[in-house]
Amino acid sequence: MIILSLMAILGMIFIFIGWRIWKKEQISLIHSYHYTRVSENDKKPYAEKMGKAFILMGIGMILTEIVNFVTKTTYGWVIFVISFVWGTVMFFKAQKKYNNGVL
Protein backbone atom coordinates (compact mmCIF):
# COMPACT_ATOMS: atom_id res chain seq x y z
CA MET A 1 0.00 0.00 0.00
CA ILE A 2 2.83 2.42 0.80
CA ILE A 3 4.56 1.64 -2.50
CA LEU A 4 1.37 2.39 -4.37
CA SER A 5 0.90 5.69 -2.55
CA LEU A 6 4.42 6.63 -3.56
CA MET A 7 3.57 5.69 -7.14
CA ALA A 8 0.64 8.12 -7.16
CA ILE A 9 2.79 10.91 -5.73
CA LEU A 10 5.55 10.22 -8.27
CA GLY A 11 2.94 10.10 -11.02
CA MET A 12 1.64 13.53 -10.04
CA ILE A 13 5.20 14.88 -9.96
CA PHE A 14 5.89 13.45 -13.43
CA ILE A 15 2.67 14.97 -14.78
CA PHE A 16 3.52 18.36 -13.26
CA ILE A 17 7.06 18.33 -14.64
CA GLY A 18 5.80 17.15 -18.03
CA TRP A 19 3.24 19.94 -18.12
CA ARG A 20 5.91 22.52 -17.24
CA ILE A 21 8.22 21.20 -19.96
CA TRP A 22 5.47 20.98 -22.59
CA LYS A 23 3.24 23.98 -21.97
CA LYS A 24 5.72 26.38 -20.36
CA GLU A 25 8.60 25.17 -22.55
CA GLN A 26 10.91 24.85 -19.54
CA ILE A 27 13.39 22.44 -21.05
CA SER A 28 15.77 23.54 -18.34
CA LEU A 29 13.96 20.96 -16.16
CA ILE A 30 15.74 18.36 -18.28
CA HIS A 31 19.49 17.92 -17.78
CA SER A 32 21.36 20.40 -19.97
CA TYR A 33 23.28 17.83 -22.03
CA HIS A 34 19.95 16.50 -23.32
CA TYR A 35 19.14 19.72 -25.15
CA THR A 36 22.54 21.29 -25.91
CA ARG A 37 22.25 20.65 -29.65
CA VAL A 38 18.55 21.49 -29.99
CA SER A 39 18.15 24.50 -32.29
CA GLU A 40 16.01 27.46 -31.28
CA ASN A 41 13.45 26.54 -33.96
CA ASP A 42 13.14 22.99 -32.60
CA LYS A 43 12.84 23.86 -28.90
CA LYS A 44 9.05 24.05 -28.97
CA PRO A 45 8.45 20.62 -30.63
CA TYR A 46 11.24 19.10 -28.53
CA ALA A 47 9.69 20.42 -25.32
CA GLU A 48 6.28 19.15 -26.43
CA LYS A 49 7.50 15.61 -27.10
CA MET A 50 9.56 15.43 -23.91
CA GLY A 51 6.71 16.84 -21.82
CA LYS A 52 4.21 14.40 -23.28
CA ALA A 53 6.57 11.52 -22.50
CA PHE A 54 6.77 12.63 -18.85
CA ILE A 55 2.98 12.99 -18.68
CA LEU A 56 2.45 9.53 -20.19
CA MET A 57 4.74 7.99 -17.60
CA GLY A 58 2.98 9.88 -14.80
CA ILE A 59 -0.46 8.77 -15.94
CA GLY A 60 0.82 5.19 -16.06
CA MET A 61 2.01 5.46 -12.45
CA ILE A 62 -1.34 6.76 -11.25
CA LEU A 63 -3.28 4.15 -13.23
CA THR A 64 -1.06 1.46 -11.73
CA GLU A 65 -2.17 2.44 -8.25
CA ILE A 66 -5.83 2.73 -9.21
CA VAL A 67 -5.98 -0.65 -10.95
CA ASN A 68 -4.07 -2.43 -8.19
CA PHE A 69 -6.22 -0.83 -5.48
CA VAL A 70 -9.57 -1.49 -7.18
CA THR A 71 -8.86 -5.02 -8.36
CA LYS A 72 -6.69 -6.07 -5.37
CA THR A 73 -4.29 -7.59 -7.90
CA THR A 74 -1.01 -6.58 -9.46
CA TYR A 75 -2.39 -6.15 -12.99
CA GLY A 76 -1.72 -2.44 -12.75
CA TRP A 77 1.99 -3.12 -13.10
CA VAL A 78 1.30 -4.13 -16.71
CA ILE A 79 0.03 -0.59 -17.29
CA PHE A 80 3.13 0.78 -15.59
CA VAL A 81 5.50 -1.21 -17.79
CA ILE A 82 3.65 -0.27 -20.98
CA SER A 83 3.50 3.44 -20.15
CA PHE A 84 7.10 3.54 -18.92
CA VAL A 85 8.46 1.79 -22.00
CA TRP A 86 6.28 3.93 -24.30
CA GLY A 87 7.46 7.12 -22.56
CA THR A 88 11.09 6.01 -22.75
CA VAL A 89 10.74 5.33 -26.48
CA MET A 90 9.27 8.82 -26.90
CA PHE A 91 12.28 10.26 -25.02
CA PHE A 92 14.77 8.45 -27.24
CA LYS A 93 12.96 9.39 -30.46
CA ALA A 94 12.88 13.08 -29.48
CA GLN A 95 16.53 12.97 -28.44
CA LYS A 96 17.58 11.37 -31.70
CA LYS A 97 15.53 13.73 -33.85
CA TYR A 98 16.20 17.07 -32.14
CA ASN A 99 19.48 16.57 -30.27
CA ASN A 100 21.25 14.48 -32.93
CA GLY A 101 21.58 11.49 -30.64
CA VAL A 102 20.88 10.28 -27.15
CA LEU A 103 23.98 11.77 -25.52
Side-chain angles (χ1 to χ4, degrees), residues 44-82:
K44 185 176 178 97
Y46 175 76
E48 178 182 347
K49 291 183 188 309
M50 295 298 276
K52 285 180 178 179
F54 268 98
I55 290 171
L56 175 67
M57 295 167 90
I59 289 171
M61 289 178 199
I62 292 171
L63 287 177
T64 298
E65 178 168 352
I66 292 170
V67 169
N68 287 348
F69 181 76
V70 170
T71 64
K72 305 292 187 221
T73 65
T74 58
Y75 293 131
W77 290 103
V78 173
I79 295 170
F80 174 75
V81 169
I82 291 169

Side-chain angles (χ1 to χ4, degrees), residues 19-33:
W19 178 80
R20 298 291 297 194
I21 293 170
W22 176 21
K23 293 296 186 180
K24 301 291 184 178
E25 296 179 26
Q26 287 186 313
I27 62 172
S28 61
L29 294 173
I30 305 167
H31 200 283
S32 63
Y33 66 81

Side-chain angles (χ1 to χ4, degrees), residues 4-5 10-12 21-23 25 34 43-44 61 65 70 87 95-96 100-101:
L4 295 180
S5 298
L10 282 174
M12 288 184 260
I21 293 170
W22 176 21
K23 293 296 186 180
E25 296 179 26
H34 287 301
K43 284 193 178 183
K44 185 176 178 97
M61 289 178 199
E65 178 168 352
V70 170
Q95 283 299 106
K96 185 172 182 182
N100 300 321

